[in-house]
Amino acid sequence: MSKVKVVFWSGTGNTQAMADAVANGITSAGGEAEVTTFDAISAADAAKDTVIAFGCPAMGAEVLEETTVEPFMADYEGFASGKKIALFGSYGWGDGQWMRDWQDRLSSAGATIVGGEGVMANGAPDEDAISALEDLGRQLAQA
């Protein structure tokens, strides 16, 4: 089984905890998880993987983090076709519009969203969110 990258940005630690839960799900299904941050990898390097997870909290008016994640995703969109991508992130306001926009954006670029939708947590991930994230990791390991 191949390695699955889990790439995230976290300002408070909530999305990092979510990334760790995805990684736990990958390893529990017999896969190998590599957890890294958006600023530690280029979009071209991420494009080498056919299965990958991305995590980012909602920022501002429910958008992706604008200085690191948004430029990365703008570059990555050109590589997204045919990829299997899982999305996750935390929020403190709104209703998840940033996640729906992110899904639509990558689907329009030709990616398949693993799990059908992103996993969101309001603030720190609770027990239900951790369970959903671990399940998402298992799905990635089998993708």
Side-chain angles (χ1 to χ4, degrees), residues 6-135:
V6 180
V7 184
F8 73 95
W9 186 94
S10 186
T12 64
N14 293 339
T15 304
Q16 182 172 2
M18 296 177 81
D20 292 341
V22 172
N24 288 342
I26 292 166
T27 57
S28 75
E32 184 180 351
E34 179 185 342
V35 180
T36 189
T37 59
F38 276 102
D39 58 358
I41 187 172
S42 71
D45 284 340
K48 295 174 185 172
D49 297 293
T50 56
V51 179
I52 194 164
F54 294 121
C56 181
M59 304 294 288
E62 284 206 81
V63 296
L64 296 174
E65 189 279 328
E66 296 173 302
T67 60
T68 304
V69 180
E70 178 55 42
F72 179 100
M73 294 312 299
D75 288 345
Y76 186 81
E77 281 179 81
F79 303 113
S81 184
K83 307 293 186 196
K84 295 178 182 177
I85 300 172
L87 302 174
F88 61 92
S90 63
Y91 67 100
W93 59 89
D95 68 353
Q97 188 60 47
W98 103 102
M99 185 63 69
R100 290 188 295 276
D101 292 344
W102 201 7
Q103 293 166 15
D104 291 347
R105 182 176 178 180
L106 289 170
S107 293
S108 294
T112 298
I113 305 300
V114 176
E117 60 182 33
V119 176
M120 296 182 289
N122 188 342
D126 62 13
E127 206 172 287
D128 290 341
I130 294 293
S131 178
L133 291 157
E134 289 174 346
D135 186 55

